[in-house]
Amino acid sequence: MITRLVLILWMSFSSLLAMAQIKITDIAGRDIVLTQAAQRFVMSEGRYVVPLSIVRPENPVAGLVGLMSNIGLANPELEKQVFSRFPDARNIANFGGRAENSVSVEKIIDLAPDVAIFGLQDHGPGSRNAELLAQLAAAGIKVVFIDFRMDPLKNTRRSIEILGQIFSQEESARAYVSYYQQKLDKITDTVAQLDTRPNVFFQAHAGRFDCCVAFADGMLGPFIEAAGGNNIADAVAPGPTSTHTEEFLLTQDPDIWITSASGTISDYKAGKKPVALGFGMTTETAQISLASFLDKPAFQALTAVKQGRAYAIWHNYYNSPLNIVALEAFAKWIHPEAFAQLSPELSMQEIQQKFTQFDIKGIYSVALKSE
Amino acid sequence: MQASAQFDTHYRSIYVKRLSIIIGLCIALVLSLMLDLTAGPAQLGLAEIIQGIIDPQSLSLRHQIILWDVRLPDALIALAVGAALGLAGIETQTILNNPLASPFTLGVSALATLGASLAIVVAPVIPFLPNNAVLPAMALLFALLGGGLILAFTKFSGGARESVVLFGIALVFLANALTAALQYVASAEAVQAIVFWTIGNLTKVGWNELFIVSFVFVCVLPFSLRHVWLMTLIRGGEAQAKSLGLNVSRLRALVIFRVSILAAFAVCFVGAIGFVGLVGPHIARMLLGEDHRLLVPGSILCGALILSLASFLSKALLPGVIIPVGILTSVIGVPIFLFLIAKQRKVS
């Protein structure tokens, strides 16, 4: 009788154990088993606070004990808000500087996380860093790769699901994934019915990089095709990004010119060059910033600029699950009639209210001329 | 009497041969410039380009911008920077009696890179200086600072050439370390911008930059030409030059002074285009010998030619896409260099 009872107890306990186990296949195709949801974890880039806030809005940084690069590096405003809402976040340790070669494995091990979450290929340790992976595995730290950067169209949804699994927050992950999917389907379906593909030049970091570095088939580059445009840099360039002269722009004379804006309100106020968007910017200031960058004979001669079809998109949509908003903006700019009902700025507010909870008062996409 | 006449004829024949090499280099340079001007995605033939230079109004606005704002300044700055680096290179090699020396051995480019990195990372706003002038200004300032340090050290150490070279190399390492430290704290975008700058790129300059580099080159050139005899003398050995009454230390300080200025202005707009200043003079020396009356112009021409060809290739290899010119200077320079070395071996 007693033996039987013990047996039943043991069986139910072990099945409980099996249930608690979390099996994950990460973006690098590696199989990881967690015995429970992550309690202590580290991440490579501070900008991943955004996907964290999607899966665990009540406190995205709870249990986050280490970052390679801090939040403020990519997004100073986000860091300010994280610190004021979650003062403990000030204690998050750094285990590196700005790049993979600055990572201290010893520091990661010392922080004793259950899980280390890295981007497939971000500025931190990559999936090919065999030595680091072996060292962390030996220390009993599970490494999980996510990706919002290399192939965001494909990997964003899966990466959010993985984060949901890691923290046993599948529900909130699923909510965002279906929100994302809905928006993506709408654009994909409409684009499939369109028979024109206007030419688009998508410049990276206008005012920060020399003219003209373009997104070709890397990072946000493929979003141009997905939004129903023809990415003219991708047509000639072999790599993810490419450099062109103004002559290329003048010769190709794209129908639409877009840049990623990596300037901030403080850059704008200081009169610095990069086109600025984001927190604190208004349509007016963003337009001034964009117009002053385009105030050169070569750009003024472009049809896209003359017709006001020159646009800027917030650079931080790159390597972020919010990239769907950039896709909406592109679709609206490339096919204004077909996508008249889309409003990227409203989507951004909606995501903030429904998911991330961070204050995003500002403007994240702008046209040279208001409609 | 007969022997002296023979020497005279021999000298003449060598001189004529070398003079014709100089003329050949000039022709090659003109051809290369034309080639460079015709390269680009727009359908602009040589005839239209010449027409457009004579009468800009004959072109459409778009082609006017392409020719006057893109192709001409880029092609001409290649000549100006190449010429400046060629001149700076030959003078440095001679005055330090070191075939591995170039303006970059003196730390000029490493310090320019440090200045540029500082401008990229900190992006300071300097009153009265337009935003896009901050980076070249900082690069220039630091390069000149490097030149100043070398000069001070030369004076201080009595001008021994080995210690000048060593001090220059020490400066290079220090500047590189500081640049690396800056990259360590910089954002990924800033690091990438620094890398772009280090590789070197001719496509970002306009007429102002071209005028500045050309002006400095034209100002320095007469001083270099005035010293060609003395420099030739030094090539025969420093001890001999001294015994003939030449104040080598003073000359060395003068040459380092003008070379630093020249190299600083050459790199501050287009980035650290290495190699031209090293290999240009060597090619010229193999073609023309040690006589600085011909070697100096030859080195200028070789530097300009290499950079001009590199500029052409940077546009022509992948139509529509720019391959940074700094990558190509070595790709072009090394084969020419190896070919000449092989040929020289054969002759000797």
Side-chain angles (χ1 to χ4, degrees), chain A residues 174-188:
Chain A
R174 218 170 294 138
Y176 186 75
V177 170
S178 78
Y179 177 83
Y180 188 102
Q181 188 72 50
Q182 218 180 337
K183 286 189 172 300
L184 180 62
D185 288 345
K186 204 169 175 181
I187 291 170
T188 316

PDB file of all heavy atoms in Angstrom, chain A residues 174-188:
ATOM      1  N   ARG A 174       2.264  35.323 -27.661  1.00  0.00           N
ATOM      2  CA  ARG A 174       1.312  34.952 -28.713  1.00  0.00           C
ATOM      3  C   ARG A 174       0.489  36.169 -29.140  1.00  0.00           C
ATOM      4  O   ARG A 174       0.218  36.362 -30.324  1.00  0.00           O
ATOM      5  CB  ARG A 174       0.402  33.835 -28.206  1.00  0.00           C
ATOM      6  CG  ARG A 174       0.079  32.812 -29.272  1.00  0.00           C
ATOM      7  CD  ARG A 174      -0.620  31.600 -28.666  1.00  0.00           C
ATOM      8  NE  ARG A 174       0.232  30.849 -27.765  1.00  0.00           N
ATOM      9  CZ  ARG A 174      -0.165  30.337 -26.593  1.00  0.00           C
ATOM     10  NH1 ARG A 174      -1.398  30.523 -26.155  1.00  0.00           N
ATOM     11  NH2 ARG A 174       0.666  29.638 -25.848  1.00  0.00           N
ATOM     12  N   ALA A 175       0.100  36.987 -28.163  1.00  0.00           N
ATOM     13  CA  ALA A 175      -0.717  38.161 -28.478  1.00  0.00           C
ATOM     14  C   ALA A 175       0.026  39.073 -29.454  1.00  0.00           C
ATOM     15  O   ALA A 175      -0.540  39.537 -30.445  1.00  0.00           O
ATOM     16  CB  ALA A 175      -1.051  38.918 -27.197  1.00  0.00           C
ATOM     17  N   TYR A 176       1.318  39.289 -29.193  1.00  0.00           N
ATOM     18  CA  TYR A 176       2.068  40.183 -30.082  1.00  0.00           C
ATOM     19  C   TYR A 176       2.298  39.534 -31.443  1.00  0.00           C
ATOM     20  O   TYR A 176       2.180  40.187 -32.475  1.00  0.00           O
ATOM     21  CB  TYR A 176       3.411  40.593 -29.469  1.00  0.00           C
ATOM     22  CG  TYR A 176       4.107  41.635 -30.321  1.00  0.00           C
ATOM     23  CD1 TYR A 176       3.655  42.947 -30.315  1.00  0.00           C
ATOM     24  CD2 TYR A 176       5.167  41.296 -31.158  1.00  0.00           C
ATOM     25  CE1 TYR A 176       4.241  43.909 -31.110  1.00  0.00           C
ATOM     26  CE2 TYR A 176       5.764  42.261 -31.961  1.00  0.00           C
ATOM     27  CZ  TYR A 176       5.299  43.569 -31.932  1.00  0.00           C
ATOM     28  OH  TYR A 176       5.873  44.518 -32.725  1.00  0.00           O
ATOM     29  N   VAL A 177       2.605  38.236 -31.416  1.00  0.00           N
ATOM     30  CA  VAL A 177       2.862  37.554 -32.684  1.00  0.00           C
ATOM     31  C   VAL A 177       1.629  37.607 -33.573  1.00  0.00           C
ATOM     32  O   VAL A 177       1.732  37.845 -34.784  1.00  0.00           O
ATOM     33  CB  VAL A 177       3.323  36.098 -32.439  1.00  0.00           C
ATOM     34  CG1 VAL A 177       3.344  35.316 -33.740  1.00  0.00           C
ATOM     35  CG2 VAL A 177       4.701  36.085 -31.792  1.00  0.00           C
ATOM     36  N   SER A 178       0.447  37.436 -32.984  1.00  0.00           N
ATOM     37  CA  SER A 178      -0.735  37.443 -33.850  1.00  0.00           C
ATOM     38  C   SER A 178      -1.035  38.873 -34.317  1.00  0.00           C
ATOM     39  O   SER A 178      -1.482  39.083 -35.448  1.00  0.00           O
ATOM     40  CB  SER A 178      -1.930  36.799 -33.155  1.00  0.00           C
ATOM     41  OG  SER A 178      -2.495  37.692 -32.248  1.00  0.00           O
ATOM     42  N   TYR A 179      -0.750  39.842 -33.464  1.00  0.00           N
ATOM     43  CA  TYR A 179      -0.885  41.256 -33.861  1.00  0.00           C
ATOM     44  C   TYR A 179       0.041  41.545 -35.047  1.00  0.00           C
ATOM     45  O   TYR A 179      -0.357  42.128 -36.060  1.00  0.00           O
ATOM     46  CB  TYR A 179      -0.531  42.134 -32.660  1.00  0.00           C
ATOM     47  CG  TYR A 179      -0.538  43.616 -32.911  1.00  0.00           C
ATOM     48  CD1 TYR A 179      -1.719  44.351 -32.870  1.00  0.00           C
ATOM     49  CD2 TYR A 179       0.656  44.296 -33.171  1.00  0.00           C
ATOM     50  CE1 TYR A 179      -1.722  45.715 -33.086  1.00  0.00           C
ATOM     51  CE2 TYR A 179       0.658  45.663 -33.387  1.00  0.00           C
ATOM     52  CZ  TYR A 179      -0.534  46.368 -33.336  1.00  0.00           C
ATOM     53  OH  TYR A 179      -0.525  47.722 -33.552  1.00  0.00           O
ATOM     54  N   TYR A 180       1.277  41.077 -34.935  1.00  0.00           N
ATOM     55  CA  TYR A 180       2.302  41.265 -35.970  1.00  0.00           C
ATOM     56  C   TYR A 180       1.862  40.576 -37.261  1.00  0.00           C
ATOM     57  O   TYR A 180       1.923  41.128 -38.349  1.00  0.00           O
ATOM     58  CB  TYR A 180       3.611  40.666 -35.447  1.00  0.00           C
ATOM     59  CG  TYR A 180       4.857  40.926 -36.274  1.00  0.00           C
ATOM     60  CD1 TYR A 180       5.778  41.885 -35.890  1.00  0.00           C
ATOM     61  CD2 TYR A 180       5.141  40.181 -37.419  1.00  0.00           C
ATOM     62  CE1 TYR A 180       6.938  42.110 -36.614  1.00  0.00           C
ATOM     63  CE2 TYR A 180       6.290  40.401 -38.156  1.00  0.00           C
ATOM     64  CZ  TYR A 180       7.191  41.366 -37.746  1.00  0.00           C
ATOM     65  OH  TYR A 180       8.339  41.567 -38.465  1.00  0.00           O
ATOM     66  N   GLN A 181       1.414  39.316 -37.085  1.00  0.00           N
ATOM     67  CA  GLN A 181       1.027  38.493 -38.232  1.00  0.00           C
ATOM     68  C   GLN A 181      -0.113  39.157 -39.007  1.00  0.00           C
ATOM     69  O   GLN A 181      -0.086  39.219 -40.235  1.00  0.00           O
ATOM     70  CB  GLN A 181       0.587  37.109 -37.736  1.00  0.00           C
ATOM     71  CG  GLN A 181       0.347  36.107 -38.858  1.00  0.00           C
ATOM     72  CD  GLN A 181       1.666  35.675 -39.490  1.00  0.00           C
ATOM     73  OE1 GLN A 181       2.593  35.302 -38.791  1.00  0.00           O
ATOM     74  NE2 GLN A 181       1.744  35.760 -40.805  1.00  0.00           N
ATOM     75  N   GLN A 182      -1.070  39.668 -38.247  1.00  0.00           N
ATOM     76  CA  GLN A 182      -2.227  40.315 -38.857  1.00  0.00           C
ATOM     77  C   GLN A 182      -1.780  41.475 -39.739  1.00  0.00           C
ATOM     78  O   GLN A 182      -2.208  41.616 -40.874  1.00  0.00           O
ATOM     79  CB  GLN A 182      -3.092  40.854 -37.721  1.00  0.00           C
ATOM     80  CG  GLN A 182      -4.565  40.734 -37.939  1.00  0.00           C
ATOM     81  CD  GLN A 182      -5.292  41.323 -36.727  1.00  0.00           C
ATOM     82  OE1 GLN A 182      -4.736  41.416 -35.619  1.00  0.00           O
ATOM     83  NE2 GLN A 182      -6.513  41.731 -36.939  1.00  0.00           N
ATOM     84  N   LYS A 183      -0.900  42.295 -39.196  1.00  0.00           N
ATOM     85  CA  LYS A 183      -0.419  43.459 -39.930  1.00  0.00           C
ATOM     86  C   LYS A 183       0.394  43.025 -41.153  1.00  0.00           C
ATOM     87  O   LYS A 183       0.258  43.587 -42.238  1.00  0.00           O
ATOM     88  CB  LYS A 183       0.447  44.344 -39.026  1.00  0.00           C
ATOM     89  CG  LYS A 183      -0.369  45.121 -38.003  1.00  0.00           C
ATOM     90  CD  LYS A 183       0.495  46.138 -37.289  1.00  0.00           C
ATOM     91  CE  LYS A 183      -0.303  47.082 -36.403  1.00  0.00           C
ATOM     92  NZ  LYS A 183      -1.330  47.886 -37.108  1.00  0.00           N
ATOM     93  N   LEU A 184       1.216  42.010 -40.958  1.00  0.00           N
ATOM     94  CA  LEU A 184       2.058  41.518 -42.052  1.00  0.00           C
ATOM     95  C   LEU A 184       1.195  40.947 -43.181  1.00  0.00           C
ATOM     96  O   LEU A 184       1.415  41.252 -44.357  1.00  0.00           O
ATOM     97  CB  LEU A 184       3.028  40.456 -41.516  1.00  0.00           C
ATOM     98  CG  LEU A 184       3.985  39.838 -42.519  1.00  0.00           C
ATOM     99  CD1 LEU A 184       4.906  40.896 -43.121  1.00  0.00           C
ATOM    100  CD2 LEU A 184       4.839  38.748 -41.857  1.00  0.00           C
ATOM    101  N   ASP A 185       0.192  40.118 -42.799  1.00  0.00           N
ATOM    102  CA  ASP A 185      -0.679  39.498 -43.806  1.00  0.00           C
ATOM    103  C   ASP A 185      -1.390  40.551 -44.641  1.00  0.00           C
ATOM    104  O   ASP A 185      -1.497  40.429 -45.858  1.00  0.00           O
ATOM    105  CB  ASP A 185      -1.716  38.606 -43.124  1.00  0.00           C
ATOM    106  CG  ASP A 185      -1.078  37.338 -42.566  1.00  0.00           C
ATOM    107  OD1 ASP A 185       0.073  37.045 -42.955  1.00  0.00           O
ATOM    108  OD2 ASP A 185      -1.714  36.655 -41.738  1.00  0.00           O
ATOM    109  N   LYS A 186      -1.857  41.578 -43.951  1.00  0.00           N
ATOM    110  CA  LYS A 186      -2.595  42.632 -44.634  1.00  0.00           C
ATOM    111  C   LYS A 186      -1.726  43.234 -45.746  1.00  0.00           C
ATOM    112  O   LYS A 186      -2.181  43.429 -46.875  1.00  0.00           O
ATOM    113  CB  LYS A 186      -2.952  43.710 -43.611  1.00  0.00           C
ATOM    114  CG  LYS A 186      -4.139  44.552 -43.974  1.00  0.00           C
ATOM    115  CD  LYS A 186      -4.489  45.357 -42.741  1.00  0.00           C
ATOM    116  CE  LYS A 186      -5.589  46.343 -42.969  1.00  0.00           C
ATOM    117  NZ  LYS A 186      -5.858  47.094 -41.722  1.00  0.00           N
ATOM    118  N   ILE A 187      -0.480  43.497 -45.397  1.00  0.00           N
ATOM    119  CA  ILE A 187       0.423  44.113 -46.374  1.00  0.00           C
ATOM    120  C   ILE A 187       0.777  43.107 -47.467  1.00  0.00           C
ATOM    121  O   ILE A 187       0.714  43.422 -48.659  1.00  0.00           O
ATOM    122  CB  ILE A 187       1.683  44.658 -45.672  1.00  0.00           C
ATOM    123  CG1 ILE A 187       1.294  45.851 -44.804  1.00  0.00           C
ATOM    124  CG2 ILE A 187       2.746  45.058 -46.680  1.00  0.00           C
ATOM    125  CD1 ILE A 187       2.369  46.351 -43.881  1.00  0.00           C
ATOM    126  N   THR A 188       1.129  41.886 -47.071  1.00  0.00           N
ATOM    127  CA  THR A 188       1.512  40.870 -48.059  1.00  0.00           C
ATOM    128  C   THR A 188       0.378  40.629 -49.049  1.00  0.00           C
ATOM    129  O   THR A 188       0.599  40.563 -50.262  1.00  0.00           O
ATOM    130  CB  THR A 188       1.861  39.561 -47.342  1.00  0.00           C
ATOM    131  OG1 THR A 188       2.663  39.855 -46.199  1.00  0.00           O
ATOM    132  CG2 THR A 188       2.636  38.628 -48.259  1.00  0.00           C
TER     133      THR A 188
END
